[in-house]
Amino acid sequence: MFGRKRRVVDKEAGRISPFLIRRKQTGVCEAYQLSQLRIVLLGESGAGKSSAGNAILGREVFRVGGGTGRSLRGKGEVEGREVSVIDTPGWGPGGGASGGGEAGARRSLSLCPWGPHAFLLAVPVAWSLFSEPQRREAQDHLELFGDGVWRHTILLFTKADRLGDAPVQQQVERRGRDLQRLAEACGGRCHALSSRATPAQARQVTQLLEKIERMVVANDGWHYKPQTPPLGEWEGEGEGGPQRRVSEGEEALRLRLEEKEREVEEARRSYKLKTQEQEEEQRNREEEYKLIFEEQQRNKEEEYKLIFEEQQRNKEEELKLTFEEQQRNREEELKLTFEEQQRNKEEEYKLIFEEQQRNRKRSTN
């Protein structure tokens, strides 16, 4: 399985990721779409991470209420993308036992070994003020994931049902300087998401996924790449959980698995591109057939029209000749009848006259 030499796709400065699928050009800029999206939800306990995960996936995957005890993964297809969402335990009061510290961060990343495309830092709209301790705690937890995590982070306002059409930027400004600093660390990327399943929530999810894709494009198409722990580093599920050292063999196996997963992703991307090309070719063929059919129909209709007009002219000419013939025959018949009547009348008048003449002669004698 691992005997052949394989091409490794690594992130290089200025290099566009091959996992981006270019959409058709829209407006003046080009849009991209990822066949897969991996999202990690982070935030304090009770921040609405599980509800946000259910909203993104469009179904009930994570249990809402009672706190999340350990990192869980949910998967589903959302608008043509294969989306994986990692729901993590919250920090602060009520947070899960395994959610804190580096072990909790490592646990969440172990559920998406390729690395997530986006970290969503959940902040409920209902919180009227975001304090400095909350900001420091959020920064400390995100920085456990290593350098560059902020380039892949979006500030997500959860439970935003009552927000209405108010701009998200107003929510940042109203909650104090500490939240503004957190938003600046995220590059100003903010989004609001309702907790109720409504058409507005569906639009918000669509806009969120598009915002994540734009963020990935801004990162040259690359997801967040987890930093590999050095060989010999201790890893474990929690402070009291089982611990062991990462051996060189395990590290090599992990790298090979990541390489295999990248190859699978690239194969999926190539297949999707090929499918899109085939669909485009099929549409072009259908359009060509449609034009040919319409041309044939127009030619046939024109031919039928000419034949019909020719038949009409012939019929009219025939009727005209028939009518003229009938008129001549009738006129001839009337003429003969009239002449016969005239002759009869003249003959009758002649006989009457002769009779009168004879009678007159007899009377004179």
Side-chain angles (χ1 to χ4, degrees), residues 161-273:
D161 304 274
R162 298 182 180 180
L163 189 59
D165 297 329
V168 179
Q169 191 60 33
Q170 287 186 4
Q171 302 301 316
V172 177
E173 295 172 355
R174 288 171 51 187
R175 283 162 173 75
R177 178 59 187 161
D178 290 288
L179 188 58
Q180 294 177 29
R181 290 177 61 184
L182 206 59
E184 290 170 1
C186 297
R189 292 180 295 272
C190 304
H191 194 75
L193 185 61
S194 302
S195 57
R196 297 178 183 175
T198 61
Q201 185 196 68
R203 289 193 299 271
Q204 292 167 355
V205 170
T206 299
Q207 294 166 359
L208 175 61
L209 298 182
E210 291 174 351
K211 189 171 293 185
I212 291 173
E213 287 176 339
R214 289 196 297 271
M215 180 179 67
V216 173
V217 170
N219 289 315
D220 293 335
W222 293 100
H223 53 74
Y224 172 78
K225 189 174 181 181
Q227 295 179 350
T228 304
L231 294 177
E233 180 179 327
W234 290 100
E235 68 171 17
E237 292 294 327
E239 296 181 357
Q243 296 181 340
R244 58 185 175 85
R245 291 183 182 274
V246 180
S247 67
E248 292 184 5
E250 290 173 333
E251 178 64 15
L253 179 60
R254 189 183 72 82
L255 291 175
R256 289 171 180 171
L257 287 174
E258 288 183 359
E259 183 180 345
K260 184 66 176 177
E261 288 169 346
R262 284 193 292 267
E263 289 180 359
V264 171
E265 173 69 14
E266 190 169 359
R268 183 183 288 109
R269 179 188 65 85
S270 300
Y271 174 76
K272 189 164 185 177
L273 283 174

Side-chain angles (χ1 to χ4, degrees), residues 21 66 84 122 198 224 227 264 308 325 333 359:
I21 296 176
S84 298
T198 61
Y224 172 78
Q227 295 179 350
V264 171
F308 177 76
E325 180 68 21
E333 182 181 351
N359 292 335

Side-chain angles (χ1 to χ4, degrees), residues 44 69 145 179 236 241 275 291 316:
E44 294 187 32
F145 293 95
L179 188 58
T275 302
L291 292 174
E316 289 174 0

Side-chain angles (χ1 to χ4, degrees), residues 38-42 86 88 105 108-109 112 115-122 141-142 144-156 186 189 208 212 215 223-226:
R38 299 179 293 279
I39 301 170
V40 175
L41 290 164
L42 302 170
I86 313 299
T88 64
S108 62
L109 289 181
C112 53
H117 293 95
F119 295 91
L120 301 183
L121 180 57
H141 278 82
L142 262 78
L144 289 173
F145 293 95
D147 298 335
V149 66
W150 295 104
R151 294 199 305 271
H152 301 269
T153 303
I154 295 176
L155 190 62
L156 181 66
C186 297
R189 292 180 295 272
L208 175 61
I212 291 173
M215 180 179 67
H223 53 74
Y224 172 78
K225 189 174 181 181

